[in-house]
Amino acid sequence: KNFKCSEDLVPMVKDFKAVVLFADISGFTALTETLTRDCDDGAEAVSHALNDFFGKLIIIIQRHGGDVVKFAGDAMLAIWKTEDTEGLASKEQLGELTYIAARCSLAIQEELKDYRTVMDKTLGLKISVGA
């Protein structure tokens, strides 16, 4: 179907059960201020630093079976979706996925701790997991 105007587009909502991991980069504001103040190509350097960090983060999440679903500034959201199509995921399945997401968050903290960027600035992460 060809859509002629925005009235033809209707938002779609789909309910599902999942475990959610939220990660927020700490130290990014200080990095941004330093790079934009001290570098001629500060905006490009900020973009490169953020993309490099998120790239490493995405690889770890995918390695643990998660899907990155949203980026917002220096934060991101990943999910581990249940396989239940009826929305009746068992507590055991959510428990298993929560365990996997928690192990993923520990791997992220271990692999990206004291992450050094340009100008020797350190980035950290605040991570939360929920089901």
Side-chain angles (χ1 to χ4, degrees):
K1 176 181 177 181
N2 292 328
F3 296 104
K4 294 184 177 145
C5 68
S6 62
E7 294 171 8
D8 293 331
L9 300 175
V10 179
M12 184 179 87
V13 176
K14 184 175 180 181
D15 291 330
F16 58 89
K17 301 237 187 248
V19 174
V20 177
L21 181 147
F22 177 78
D24 184 34
I25 299 174
S26 58
F28 186 72
T29 301
L31 174 67
T32 300
E33 290 171 354
T34 299
L35 291 176
T36 55
R37 181 187 64 234
D38 298 344
C39 296
D40 291 336
D41 61 345
E44 186 176 320
V46 167
S47 177
H48 177 71
L50 188 61
N51 289 340
D52 186 55
F53 192 82
F54 274 139
K56 291 174 180 11
L57 187 59
I58 290 167
I59 289 169
I60 298 168
I61 289 168
Q62 289 177 335
R63 195 172 66 219
H64 286 84
D67 294 312
V68 175
V69 294
K70 182 79 173 170
F71 292 95
D74 63 351
M76 55 130 303
L77 190 67
I79 63 170
W80 282 258
K81 191 173 163 183
T82 65
E83 295 179 19
D84 181 11
T85 58
E86 301 296 318
L88 303 171
S90 70
K91 288 181 182 179
E92 291 80 20
Q93 187 180 22
L94 282 172
E96 289 171 15
L97 292 175
T98 302
Y99 178 75
I100 292 168
R103 288 188 52 100
C104 178
S105 69
L106 292 172
I108 291 167
Q109 292 288 5
E110 181 61 31
E111 293 179 40
L112 297 180
K113 69 179 174 188
D114 300 325
Y115 182 83
R116 297 260 181 223
T117 64
V118 290
M119 300 187 78
D120 206 33
K121 292 290 183 185
T122 301
L123 295 179
L125 274 174
K126 296 175 187 164
I127 301 175
S128 59
V129 175

